[in-house]
Structure formats: structure tokens, C-alpha cells
């Protein structure tokens, strides 16, 4: 049973939302970030990059987080942000040149996270967990929802569709040709229908935002211990999430780029691979995998197809069937000597939205010796691994939609 809850969002006024909301801070290259800060005084980037006001970009730690809180208060004091008077759910729709996503922004329960109703598919770094918990404690708000997915539900979809027949509270298009719309659900009957519908959902899966969800739960635990009047209904017992049906989730793969062959020659490396894979040299053909357990490889000016030999690898559980895990167990660790795939400097990852061309270009530039591509993981694979209590290797999935900051803000 999944618990979802309406909340009183802090939001930009309708006339300024297109100027206020932004992509995630980390999504902007330095020069683009500087331009946004210089020419848009309403951008939320001024809140999360408070040092710009003092011409200092390197403010860090608690000092920076306190300045973020101060800039946030200024946006409220200047009337850029106001808080809704009635708790609500928020329907958010994002339309790109190729896709459309529509789901519900709500508060979700930290207890559901602890009780495995909300499940994660990848591990988190303790350092980042602590950093973001510190950020939340000092700023008092979260402006980016965690992306959760759930099995398609006709009852929830019908409510979402009903609201889309009316004018949206927000409707604006950004320079990357993406349109954003937001509807407010404050009607008590519809709120009850949504709440009841999610109570029938057994599991919500974290698609994106693992560190945000983990850190929110850590903060809730600490604040509960510090609060002698703790009831369980305080805002810190929930975190903001964007609930999206599984059918609307886009999952892409990450390519792997390796800096050296671990002392092997090209021929020696191919001989090692021949024990595990059926190898076909595709020459200059831009080869892309055709099926699961088939990989593309670019090495020494040629593309290769690598097909797993069934006799060379044993499937023991759902994780062992995952292509990213197969590549790690058969190539990255035993042949290329990459044990810690999260932290080893010999490997980097890049989301594959270029049709595989990047596999060639990055190696040809000389920074890497070999690259690997695979088919994307699908939602059933993700759920199958998570449901048996396992986690996927890092950088297995690149998931869309990516959400904007400050469309709705959740205060603790």
C-alpha cells in the first residue's frame, strides 16, 4: 500500500514561472550557467548558486547552504514565490519534440521507503547522502521531486485526463523546445480518489533521485529524534515525488569507455574475449546490438559484435541476466582489471542518445582504447532485480523525463 499525500507547494507566480524554473543546476555548462545568472534575475539558479551575488563561485558547505536559504527567503519576500493555502496534488506534463510525459507531483512517505514499498534500483554514496541531508536541513526545502514509477492505473489516468481538459495553471515553452504544463488538484473528492488508488499500489520504484530520497529519509529520522512532540505527520516525514506510469518512462543505456587494455595488446585482448563471446568484426559499420546479451565494441578503428557464449556464463538470478552485469563479470573485472566500477578512473560512462556514434568518436580522439554499448534495460528487468532485493550496477540506466527545478517546492 503506497501512501501519497497532497501538500501546500511553494510556487512561482503564473507570470514568472517560465523565468523562475530551471533545469537541474548540474545540467548547465559553466558558460551557459553564467549567462542565465547574468541575464535572468528571476531564475531559481540564483537561489542554488548564491555566491553569484557576491561574485564568488566557490562557496561551499554549510555557508553555501545557509546562503541558499537566504536567497530562497528573498524570492518569497519579493513575491516571486507564494505558498498554496490548500494542500493539493499537481499534475505535471512535459512535452518534448519526441515524447510526452504526464504524472502527479505529491508527497510520499519515508515509512514507505523504509518498509520497501518504495524500492530503489541502484546504490548510493554515503558522502553524497550526508551532503544532501545537510543541504536539506540548512535550506529547509526541496525543489526537485524524486521520480517514482508505478504500474499503469486506469483510475489515476482518468483523473489526470479530466484535468487536462481545463486550462493549465502553468503553460510555457523553453528554449530547448520543451513545453511544461501544470494543473492543480485541490478538490477533496479527487484527492481522495487519488489517495485511495495509490493505496492499492503495492510498490513504487525509484526511477531517478536515489540520493534525494535516501537523504530525505535520513533527515526525517534525525528530526524525529530531535522533536519531543513528533507525531509522524510533520512535513519531514514525507518527500516530494513525481509519480509517473511505467509506460511513459524512457530508459536509455550508458556506454562504457575504457582508458587502457590492462597491459594486453589488441590481439591479446581479442583472444581473451573469444573465450566468452562469438566475435564478428563489423569494420567501419556503425554496429548496434540487436538483442540481449549482444554487445557492440569499438576497438582500434573497427566495430565488433560480441555475442555471449551460453556455455561460458551461468545465469543464477535476475541480476546475472542483466547485460551491464554480464559485461562487468566477463570483461571489465577479469580481463580489464576494473573491480570498482563506480570509482575506478579507468572507466567513464556516457548516456547513449547519439545512436552509438559516440562509441567511435571518443576512442578515435585518443583518450580511450575501447568502448562498449548494449541494449537499454527495460522496466521488467529493473523490477525483477529490485523485487528480489538486489541492486543494479552503477550507470546501468539513464532515465527520462528529467524534471525541472522549482515548479513546485516542498518545505520541511
Amino acid at each position: 500500500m503506497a501512501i501519497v499525500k497532497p501538500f501546500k507547494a511553494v510556487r512561482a507566480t503564473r507570470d514568472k514561472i517560465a523565468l523562475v524554473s530551471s533545469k537541474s543546476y548540474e545540467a548547465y555548462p559553466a558558460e551557459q550557467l553564467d549567462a542565465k545568472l547574468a541575464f535572468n534575475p528571476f531564475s531559481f539558479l540564483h537561489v542554488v548558486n548564491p555566491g553569484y551575488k557576491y561574485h564568488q563561485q566557490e562557496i561551499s558547505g554549510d555557508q553555501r547552504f545557509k546562503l541558499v536559504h537566504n536567497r530562497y527567503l528573498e524570492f518569497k519576500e519579493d513575491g516571486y514565490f507564494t505558498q498554496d493555502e490548500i494542500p493539493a496534488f499537481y499534475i505535471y506534463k512535459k512535452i518534448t519534440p519526441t515524447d510526452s510525459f504526464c504524472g502527479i507531483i505529491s508527497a510520499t512517505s519515508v515509512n514507505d521507503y523504509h518498509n520497501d514499498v518504495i524500492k530503489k534500483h541502484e546504490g548510493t554514496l554515503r558522502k553524497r547522502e550526508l551532503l544532501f541531508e545537510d543541504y536539506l536541513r540548512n535550506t529547509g526545502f526541496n525543489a526537485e521531486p524524486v521520480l517514482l514509477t508505478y504500474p499503469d492505473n486506469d483510475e489515476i489516468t482518468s483523473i489526470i485526463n479530466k484535468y487536462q481538459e481545463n486550462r493549465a495553471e502553468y503553460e510555457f515553452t523553453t528554449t530547448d523546445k520543451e513545453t511544461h504544463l501544470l494543473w492543480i488538484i485541490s478538490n477533496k473528492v479527487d484527492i481522495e480518489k487519488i489517495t485511495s488508488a495509490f493505496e492499492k499500489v503495492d510498490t513504487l520504484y525509484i526511477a531517478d533521485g536515489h540520493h534525494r530520497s535516501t537523504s530525505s529519509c535520513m533527515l526525517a529520522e534525525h528530526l524525529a529524534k530531535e522533536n519531543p512532540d513528533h507525531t509522524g505527520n510533520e512535513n519531514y516525514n514525507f518527500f516530494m515525488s513525481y509519480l509517473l506510469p511505467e509506460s511513459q518512462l524512457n530508459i536509455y543505456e550508458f556506454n562504457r569507455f575504457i582508458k587502457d587494455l590492462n597491459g594486453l595488446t589488441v590481439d591479446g585482448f581479442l583472444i581473451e574475449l573469444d573465450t566468452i563471446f562469438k566475435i564478428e568484426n563489423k569494420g567501419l559499420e556503425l554496429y548496434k546490438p540487436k538483442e540481449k546479451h549482444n554487445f557492440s565494441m569499438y576497438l582500434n578503428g573497427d566495430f565488433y559484435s560480441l555475442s555471449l557464449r551460453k556455455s561460458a556464463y551461468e545465469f543464477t538470478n535476475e541480476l546475472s541476466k542483466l547485460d551491464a552485469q554480464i559485461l562487468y563479470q566477463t570483461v571489465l573485472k577479469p580481463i580489464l582489471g576494473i573491480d570498482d566500477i563506480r570509482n575506478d578512473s579507468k572507466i567513464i560512462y556516457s548516456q547513449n542518445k547519439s545512436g552509438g556514434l559516440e562509441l567511435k568518436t571518443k576512442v578515435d580522439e585518443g583518450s580511450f582504447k575501447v568502448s562498449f554499448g548494449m541494449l537499454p534495460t527495460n522496466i521488467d528487468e529493473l523490477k525483477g532485480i529490485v523485487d528480489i532485493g538486489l541492486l543494479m550496477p552503477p550507470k546501468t540506466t539513464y532515465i527520462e523525463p528529467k524534471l525541472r527545478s522549482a515548479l513546485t517546492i516542498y518545505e520541511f
Side-chain angles (χ1 to χ4, degrees), residues 248-303:
Q248 295 188 37
L249 207 65
N250 283 352
I251 305 178
Y252 302 91
E253 71 276 24
F254 276 91
N255 294 326
R256 273 88 167 123
F257 299 85
I258 316 300
K259 292 183 179 180
D260 64 63
L261 298 181
N262 198 28
L264 295 170
T265 64
V266 169
D267 288 341
F269 179 54
L270 289 171
I271 290 171
E272 292 286 339
L273 291 178
D274 190 64
T275 304
I276 309 154
F277 299 97
K278 176 184 176 182
I279 303 175
E280 296 180 61
N281 188 322
K282 298 292 184 177
L284 294 178
E285 175 191 344
L286 180 58
Y287 179 73
K288 292 183 285 187
K290 303 291 193 300
E291 59 187 3
K292 290 294 181 181
H293 314 328
N294 176 247
F295 302 85
S296 58
M297 179 178 74
Y298 185 74
L299 172 70
N300 201 35
D302 289 328
F303 278 97

Side-chain angles (χ1 to χ4, degrees), residues 252 255 286 288 350-359 361:
Y252 302 91
N255 294 326
L286 180 58
K288 292 183 285 187
S350 180
Q351 68 268 23
N352 182 27
K353 298 186 68 179
S354 64
L357 183 61
E358 190 181 42
L359 290 172
T361 56

